[in-house]
Amino acid sequence: MSSSPTDPRFVIEGATEEQQAAVDELVKQFLLTDSQLEAITKEFRRRMEEGLVADGKVLKMIPSYVTKRPKGTETGSYYAIDLGGTNLRLIRATLDGKGGVKTEHQKFTLTEEAKARTLFDFIAQCVETFLDDRNLRPTGQQPPISMGFTFSYPVQQTSINSGILVQWTKGLNVPGCVGRDVVRLLQDALLRLGLRVKISALVNDTVGTLLSSAYANPSSQMGIIFGTGTNAAYYEDVSNVAKWKGPNPASGEMVLNMEWGAFDSDDFAFLPFTPHDIKLDRKSINPRKQAYEKMISGMYLGEIARNIILWLADQRLLFDGRSSDILNAMWSIDTSYLSAAIIDESPTLSEIQQVIEKTMGVPRSTLVDRRILRAIAHLVGERAARLSSIGVVATLLKRPELLSKPIHIGIDGSMYEHFPNFECILAKTVSRFIPEHQFKNISFSLAKDGSGVGAAIIAMLMATED
Ligand code: GLC
């Protein structure tokens, strides 16, 4: 998919010369050529290797202590606590022994107080509610109930059920947690409520996604999240992990949590930063961090589009120079508005008109304004999907021996599930960098809610003898 500033998709019917020139500039910045992607992929590979050798590198390549694979024949009910961006889910996963899982879950929204201070006490209270509602609370005579804990933030694991929070990412920023063992924090909060619950596995959401995908499909090698944030985990041969000083697992392999959202955060030298990205980064809660994530994931795409919209409005190239209180507020443009803009194919772009006039609070828009908005949504979304291929390709080419037989990738997250064309552009871009005879062995599928189910599966593996 090579594009130039004259790409017909970005010729705006009825636009003035100045408007078209501004769109052409955006096209130049946002549409990446295959050779640009190839160069970035090469750097990504180098960073992976570096992260396998030592801690503290930009790609953390964190050993997850998960060394087993489910067979798909296991049965029984297992539990997990899944902390995502703003929600917490308590899960009971019942494995049917044929690769299928029935889940029952209860969802809680993090309160402002939990986000500001009392996160772990809040989680413990939710666990209590979940157990009490189902009459599952163990009494003094019963053994504690085991639960996997999916924690979707970078943690330097110190065992399968302990790990130090390295930093907050995405929207959460609870004080007093960085540098501490998050399982200890939760276990103490559970103890304060007198709950006999043992956290038997601490799991990144990507590791959970991989394991839930592996229960259904034994050829799974990689789990990816393209959602509010982005990251991936994959099975690596332990002999390739020079920094691993622990015992060699019987299986010879371990799942690594790459924390790939951080790629290029140290020197901002390889990703295609535009002034709109730089502005977003500067005003985010984590400047100079998660550079790759900020170009790809759902939390940020709306904000990039907002920066572009204001850049155009300030030059009187959009909305006749008008803005609105809503448009002027950071994070006011949700990524779902970009999805709505992309799917609007009506002659007057009436969906986009609704978004501009009702949601963005700009009283009037011309058809040209709406066409420009649609172009912005396409550009930001397409760049995200094309850049997403980099991590996938770099990881697959790291272990080319796996590509000679069927290999499966489980993916979860709102971008992959809902953003128009994301899945298709991603697969098409990956196909351009992997030889055809190998590409045909790769399958991708949605591992819906895999993060929590995977943590329950890991809790099950921990309870099972080799
Ligand atoms: C962020 C977190 C990472 C998580 C990802 C997807 O990048 O740092 O741990 O896996 O978001 O939720």
Side-chain angles (χ1 to χ4, degrees):
M1 197 181 309
S2 74
S3 300
S4 71
T6 53
D7 189 323
R9 292 177 304 157
F10 300 107
V11 174
I12 311 291
E13 203 186 323
T16 64
E17 248 174 57
E18 290 78 13
Q19 284 173 318
Q20 187 61 56
V23 172
D24 288 348
E25 190 176 334
L26 291 171
V27 169
K28 247 197 237 142
Q29 291 173 337
F30 279 82
L31 286 192
L32 309 173
T33 62
D34 283 356
S35 59
Q36 275 174 294
L37 292 179
E38 196 170 2
I40 309 173
T41 308
K42 216 164 138 202
E43 175 64 10
F44 197 102
R45 262 301 296 281
R46 193 176 75 74
R47 296 311 197 131
M48 285 178 73
E49 297 294 346
E50 178 190 77
L52 292 176
V53 175
D55 286 337
K57 298 296 177 191
V58 74
L59 288 192
K60 296 189 185 70
M61 311 296 283
I62 301 170
S64 70
Y65 291 77
V66 174
T67 58
K68 298 185 193 172
R69 288 172 190 257
K71 296 186 184 68
T73 51
E74 299 88 343
T75 52
S77 288
Y78 301 91
Y79 298 88
I81 305 166
D82 185 357
L83 177 68
T86 47
N87 287 319
L88 177 77
R89 288 186 321 142
L90 267 291
I91 296 158
R92 169 160 49 187
T94 305
L95 313 181
D96 69 5
K98 293 181 221 118
V101 184
K102 258 226 226 70
T103 57
E104 177 192 338
H105 69 253
Q106 194 166 350
K107 195 164 158 181
F108 302 85
T109 303
L110 295 189
T111 58
E112 288 310 314
E113 207 201 351
K115 287 192 242 174
R117 239 164 20 88
T118 54
L119 178 67
F120 290 93
D121 285 305
F122 176 81
I123 300 176
Q125 280 154 19
C126 297
V127 173
E128 182 172 50
T129 307
F130 179 82
L131 294 180
D132 286 349
D133 284 359
R134 289 161 185 77
N135 243 336
L136 288 169
R137 184 198 275 250
T139 62
Q141 284 75 48
Q142 289 169 317
I145 194 161
S146 276
M147 289 192 166
F149 179 29
T150 307
F151 187 75
S152 313
Y153 299 89
V155 158
Q156 191 62 50
Q157 292 217 205
T158 41
S159 74
I160 185 70
N161 64 348
S162 60
I164 309 294
L165 177 60
V166 181
Q167 70 192 43
W168 287 113
T169 52
K170 301 174 284 191
L172 212 56
N173 197 6
V174 190
C177 304
V178 170
R180 302 184 63 189
D181 177 354
V182 292
V183 174
R184 188 72 274 144
L185 291 173
L186 178 54
Q187 207 69 76
D188 286 349
L190 291 163
L191 198 68
R192 283 195 284 279
L193 292 182
L195 282 177
R196 294 171 54 74
V197 170
K198 167 140 178 59
I199 305 302
S200 57
L202 172 63
V203 178
N204 184 263
D205 53 354
T206 57
V207 179
T209 300
L210 171 53
L211 269 284
S212 83
S213 174
Y215 182 73
N217 187 335
S219 65
S220 299
Q221 290 290 350
M222 200 175 171
I224 311 181
I225 302 283
F226 291 120
T228 308
T230 184
N231 186 18
Y234 73 107
Y235 278 99
E236 180 59 280
D237 198 325
V238 173
S239 63
N240 292 333
V241 191
K243 68 180 178 186
W244 173 250
K245 300 286 179 269
N248 258 350
S251 64
E253 59 178 8
M254 184 179 289
V255 176
L256 298 185
N257 163 17
M258 297 170 75
E259 285 295 330
W260 79 16
F263 172 63
D264 208 24
S265 299
D266 50 349
D267 45 19
F268 271 44
F270 290 88
L271 290 171
F273 293 95
T274 68
H276 314 293
D277 299 296
I278 303 286
K279 188 169 161 200
L280 177 152
D281 180 64
R282 196 181 295 133
K283 301 216 169 149
S284 65
I285 57 164
N286 52 353
R288 306 285 301 187
K289 299 226 160 80
Q290 302 297 98
Y292 186 51
E293 178 162 274
K294 284 174 180 160
M295 288 188 187
I296 289 183
S297 67
M299 173 157 173
Y300 302 101
L301 300 194
E303 182 62 10
I304 298 172
R306 191 184 73 90
N307 287 342
I308 300 174
I309 291 169
L310 290 180
W311 173 72
L312 290 168
D314 290 350
Q315 301 173 77
R316 286 195 83 141
L317 299 175
L318 197 66
F319 308 147
D320 197 23
R322 275 188 303 265
S323 175
S324 68
D325 289 347
I326 297 172
L327 259 184
N328 291 340
M330 271 198 88
W331 310 112
S332 57
I333 304 301
D334 197 88
T335 298
S336 60
Y337 303 154
L338 306 191
S339 303
I342 291 174
I343 55 181
D344 185 357
E345 288 186 346
S346 63
T348 58
L349 300 179
S350 52
E351 270 300 313
I352 301 180
Q353 180 170 17
Q354 288 281 320
V355 169
I356 296 173
E357 297 173 13
K358 299 251 156 55
T359 320
M360 297 183 182
V362 176
R364 274 182 303 284
S365 64
T366 64
L367 187 52
V368 171
D369 287 335
R370 290 172 228 149
R371 289 187 177 131
I372 294 179
L373 205 82
R374 190 155 192 269
I376 295 172
H378 270 287
L379 286 169
V380 173
E382 184 163 325
R383 185 184 68 162
R386 300 252 300 155
L387 280 175
S388 296
S389 73
I390 287 174
V392 181
V393 171
T395 311
L396 290 174
L397 293 181
K398 165 86 183 49
R399 302 196 65 195
E401 72 280 7
L402 298 177
L403 294 173
S404 58
K405 44 186 197 303
I407 163 169
H408 187 71
I409 303 179
I411 309 182
D412 198 8
S414 50
M415 287 300 295
Y416 187 75
E417 193 180 357
H418 300 301
F419 198 89
N421 311 330
F422 185 92
E423 178 186 352
C424 162
I425 297 174
L426 171 68
K428 201 161 157 192
T429 313
V430 170
S431 77
R432 298 186 68 88
F433 298 99
I434 308 264
E436 206 188 322
H437 67 283
Q438 295 178 318
F439 183 75
K440 69 174 178 18
N441 288 331
I442 306 171
S443 55
F444 303 86
S445 73
L446 181 71
K448 182 93 183 115
D449 296 335
S451 54
V453 171
I457 289 174
I458 296 171
M460 175 274 288
L461 290 175
M462 294 317 296
T464 325
E465 291 304 312
D466 273 314

